[in-house]
Amino acid sequence: ESARQYFEESLCFYREVGEQWAVALLLERLGAVNENLADYDRARSVLEECLTIRRSLGDRLGVGHALQWLSAVFSKQGHYEQAEGLVLESIAICQELDDRVGIAHGQQNLAANLMLRGRFFEAQPLLEQAAAAHNELGMRYWFAVDIDLLGWTKANLALYEAAHRLSADARNLFTEIGDREGIALACLSLAEVALAEQAYGDAQDLLEESISILRDIGHREFLAQALGELASAERALGRLPEARSHLNEGLQIAAEIRAQLPKLWSVAHFALLLTNRGQPERAVELYALASRYPYIGNSRFWEDIAGTHIAAAAASLSPDVVAAAQERGRARDLDATVVELLTELDDETEGP
């Protein structure tokens, strides 16, 4: 928030004097800050203006960088194909200009886009290439981001030992650098492995550390993810009131920031919680909605932490009942379902 305020004040001064190169740079910085604050509409607006200015100035390198930030925003809003087109255009420009940093960033960006679309195998080589380049260039922060994302990819492929090793290395690097956001995200990645391996106490400790940092720095998207995962850890530990409270908060954030992935995470975690509330049919329905999206449906991690547990809870139901619940779930609207679940949790809080 402080960074956003300073950038906006500086932007006003440079607009007054008509210094377009500086205006474009500040718009890019504002786009990055707003993206981290999950203010995606504002991020998209300033980055599109940045891109227009840089095209008018003939700043090819600047265009390539702005395209990457804009691609990240499109991905967060669920516009994956448009985001891919933007990052591919950026990589082509960076290759033309022999901008090794831009190429590596673009590979990381493209890999993240593929991961969000459930294409985990395709993301791996891109992250390996980006990590090699960032490491060779001495860019330790970006190298740590690469290996943490690679660990996240491995987790979704159920390669948990490799995932733990990569994310632990990333956490150590972020700690050496002093990057709190990186530490929080690496803890989140490590917690996913702990959840999959049913080490629920370890997962809870890691998630509480991550949540503390994410609250402090204001990163709401990953805070929603961490709250959902904490709810699932607490569910397994028998702490159902705490699980409901944290899931409610995560759902509220997901609804407010209007990013696709946090909504999917929250619905899937809610479905898992329903197995503890004696509602297996409804759990099947909600998980079918979440699984309709490739990030959940193609993930071995989600199958391990939620899918198998929901299937076991539904084992007493007839195949026809399960099939009907899955069909209803696949026909559901994601946004309307999030609102429905929030209303339900609010009613429970206000009830006797």
Side-chain angles (χ1 to χ4, degrees):
E1 289 288 357
S2 296
R4 176 158 64 178
Q5 179 183 342
Y6 288 127
F7 282 139
E8 286 178 344
E9 290 175 0
S10 186
L11 179 61
C12 288
F13 292 130
Y14 280 108
R15 284 194 193 277
E16 286 178 11
V17 298
E19 179 48 73
Q20 291 292 81
W21 288 84
V23 166
L25 178 61
L26 286 162
L27 288 168
E28 182 185 281
R29 297 289 187 266
L30 268 174
V33 168
N34 282 301
E35 190 262 342
N36 277 285
L37 288 169
D39 189 349
Y40 299 120
D41 290 340
R42 176 63 176 154
R44 180 172 170 178
S45 175
V46 297
L47 287 167
E48 286 176 342
E49 183 184 356
C50 169
L51 187 59
T52 298
I53 292 172
R54 284 180 166 167
R55 289 195 194 278
S56 71
L57 293 171
D59 178 10
R60 295 278 289 161
L61 185 62
V63 166
H65 293 176
L67 284 167
Q68 292 204 20
W69 282 113
L70 193 56
S71 171
V73 173
F74 271 77
S75 285
K76 295 294 177 67
Q77 293 185 309
H79 306 305
Y80 301 124
E81 291 186 4
Q82 291 167 280
E84 182 179 2
L86 292 170
V87 75
L88 287 174
E89 181 183 352
S90 171
I91 291 172
I93 292 171
C94 293
Q95 288 174 333
E96 172 193 326
L97 300 174
D98 195 26
D99 174 19
R100 294 180 63 202
V101 173
I103 294 168
H105 286 359
Q107 289 168 330
Q108 182 192 97
N109 195 331
L110 182 57
N113 177 284
L114 292 170
M115 288 169 62
L116 298 180
R117 296 156 76 181
R119 294 161 62 178
F120 305 112
F121 282 109
E122 295 174 67
Q124 286 187 100
L126 286 165
L127 287 169
E128 289 166 354
Q129 292 169 41
H134 283 136
N135 191 38
E136 185 180 341
L137 291 164
M139 304 179 75
R140 299 176 71 216
Y141 166 80
W142 289 108
F143 174 68
V145 172
D146 292 327
I147 61 173
D148 188 41
L149 283 173
L150 190 56
W152 194 12
T153 302
K154 300 285 188 186
N156 279 283
L157 294 169
L159 302 171
Y160 297 123
E161 183 178 346
H164 184 278
R165 183 179 66 255
L166 287 161
S167 292
D169 288 346
R171 184 186 183 184
N172 290 336
L173 271 172
F174 285 128
T175 301
E176 289 175 18
I177 296 166
D179 188 88
R180 298 178 68 214
E181 179 189 47
I183 295 169
L185 298 187
C187 285
L188 192 49
S189 300
L190 290 167
E192 289 190 345
V193 175
L195 277 176
E197 295 179 337
Q198 300 184 22
Y200 298 118
D202 293 341
Q204 180 178 325
D205 291 342
L206 287 161
L207 289 163
E208 287 176 347
E209 180 180 352
S210 180
I211 286 168
S212 176
I213 296 171
L214 293 168
R215 286 193 195 283
D216 194 38
I217 66 177
H219 202 308
R220 303 182 73 207
E221 180 191 5
F222 289 110
L223 176 58
Q225 178 185 359
L227 287 165
E229 292 184 1
L230 180 57
S232 285
E234 289 168 333
R235 176 207 69 83
L237 293 168
R239 302 177 61 192
L240 298 185
E242 293 88 347
R244 185 179 66 183
S245 175
H246 287 129
L247 186 54
N248 187 20
E249 185 183 356
L251 269 166
Q252 287 176 340
I253 294 170
E256 289 167 7
I257 67 177
R258 294 179 295 153
Q260 186 182 86
L261 214 55
K263 289 182 283 192
L264 289 178
W265 291 326
S266 298
V267 169
H269 287 299
F270 194 101
L272 184 57
L273 183 61
L274 288 174
T275 63
N276 288 67
R277 302 170 74 176
Q279 300 180 52
E281 184 177 347
R282 192 157 171 247
V284 169
E285 181 177 331
L286 290 180
Y287 194 65
L289 164 61
S291 300
R292 190 179 77 204
Y293 294 83
Y295 178 80
I296 302 285
N298 294 349
S299 170
R300 286 282 308 281
F301 163 75
W302 277 101
E303 182 62 19
D304 287 343
I305 72 156
T308 55
H309 297 285
I310 292 169
S316 61
L317 302 175
S318 72
D320 288 345
V321 169
V322 170
Q326 290 173 333
E327 185 175 353
R328 289 195 304 273
R330 287 190 287 266
R332 273 181 170 269
D333 178 79
L334 178 60
D335 291 329
T337 299
V338 168
V339 172
E340 174 191 323
L341 299 182
L342 278 172
T343 302
E344 179 179 329
L345 287 167
D346 288 341
D347 289 344
E348 289 177 0
T349 302
E350 295 172 2

